[in-house]
């Protein structure tokens, strides 16, 4: 029987008090849970303690205080630095650990393997929305690992608000969704940032461009659905926009940018991917053919 059976199930520990860790702890407090907090650098828990959080003097003391520990630090190098200290690992034995820090699927699987070796019950997770959404209906959490363990802790995790989705028993699955979704977010943000620079060089303000940029964004939801189906089916249809035509428009972006001395290397890479697809004989396909070609050696 695990060591935590005499502890209140409505108790939780949060390790890591950056903007996200603080938001998680605040949501647990708002839900009336006994919340113990710890951060590597002292002094980040002031507001939380004022609201009733218990400040632990060490990470080991923090994890010993609750049957469930949520860790949310910058990445898994950081969570390893905290969790793999001998006294912390020992204190976690028989407890549940949920790692909501972001990193790669392999790091998540490696952490599950480490946890298993030390008798720690482990769930991995990813947070897909910004800190201010935590505790609101807009928050989005992804979870992976043993489903039974997820179900057991689901009521406490629900205090974080929003939508929680268990993606499967493969511990790396939440991180796999996370990196795929971050891929979209950062390339889209980089594209928009670049567009703002090109527009500014042409005397167009951000405010002038933004309504039309919103128009592009409005196309994307149905575009995403269609491209996903096309890629899953392996059809890579170029009926609406063959990649030869797409590559031509990419070249316009490169030339217009470089005429203003603006680095166009990202678009050059994208155009290069399109040209490679054409060179491989898929010129009548759509841009989604890149998804198949990009992994070829
Ligand atoms: P950061 O990603 O900047 O992480 C800060 C936290 O990591 C602090 O608690 C910091 O401690 C700790 N940390 C860093 N290095 C170490 C280390 N070597 N040992 C121990 N602790 C360390 O801030 P956030 O709180 O915003 O993010 C936490 C996680 O949540 C990240 O993985 C992030 O990607 C994810 N996330 C954040 C979102 C947001 O809106 N902020 C949105 C979605 C996900 P110290 O104070 O001592 O430096």
């Amino acid at each position: 029987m695990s060591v935590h059976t005499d502890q209140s199930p409505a108790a939780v520990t949060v390790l890591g008090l950056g903007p996200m860790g603080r938001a998680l702890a605040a949501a647990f407090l708002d839900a009336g849970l006994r919340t113990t907090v710890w951060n590597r650098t002292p002094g980040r828990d002031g507001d939380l303690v004022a609201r009733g959080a218990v400040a632990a003097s060490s990470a080991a003391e923090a994890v010993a205080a609750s049957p469930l520990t949520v860790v949310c630090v910058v990445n898994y190098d950081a969570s390893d630095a905290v969790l793999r200290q001998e006294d912390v690992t020992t204190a976690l034995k028989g407890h549940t650990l949920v790692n909501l820090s972001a990193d790669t699927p392999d790091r998540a699987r490696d952490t599950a393997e480490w946890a298993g070796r030390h008798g720690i019950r482990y769930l991995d997770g990813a947070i897909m929305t910004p800190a201010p959404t935590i505790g609101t209906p807009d928050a989005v959490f992804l979870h992976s690992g043993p489903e039974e363990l997820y179900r057991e802790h689901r009521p406490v995790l629900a205090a974080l608000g929003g939508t929680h989705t268990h993606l499967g028993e493969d511990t790396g699955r939440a991180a796999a969704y996370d990196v795929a979704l971050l891929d979209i977010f950062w390339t889209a943000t980089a594209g928009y940032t670049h567009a703002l620079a090109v527009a500014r060089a042409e005397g167009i303000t951000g405010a002038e461009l933004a309504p039309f940029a919103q128009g592009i964004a409005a196309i994307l939801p149905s575009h995403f659905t269609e491209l996903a189906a096309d890629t899953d089916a392996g059809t890579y249809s170029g009926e609406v926009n063959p990649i030869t035509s797409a590559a031509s428009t990419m070249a316009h972006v490169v030339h217009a940018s470089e005429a203003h001395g603006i680095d166009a290397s990202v678009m050059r890479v994208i155009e290069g991917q399109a040209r490679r697809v054409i060179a491989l004989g898929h010129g009548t396909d759509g841009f989604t053919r890149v998804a198949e070609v990009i992994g070829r050696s």
Side-chain angles (χ1 to χ4, degrees), residues 15-22 38-42 44 72-75 77-79 81-82 100-103 127-132:
L15 300 178
L17 300 176
M20 185 53 88
R22 286 201 301 275
W38 177 86
N39 191 61
R40 176 185 62 169
T41 305
R44 304 257 154 89
C72 190
V73 289
V74 62
N75 55 31
D77 281 346
S79 62
V82 176
L100 295 181
S101 314
D103 215 308
I127 306 169
M128 301 318 310
T129 50

Side-chain angles (χ1 to χ4, degrees), residues 86-106:
E86 198 179 335
D87 57 345
V88 179
T89 305
T90 303
L92 276 168
K93 190 169 182 187
H95 292 219
T96 300
L97 174 67
V98 178
N99 198 338
L100 295 181
S101 314
D103 215 308
T104 63
D106 282 350

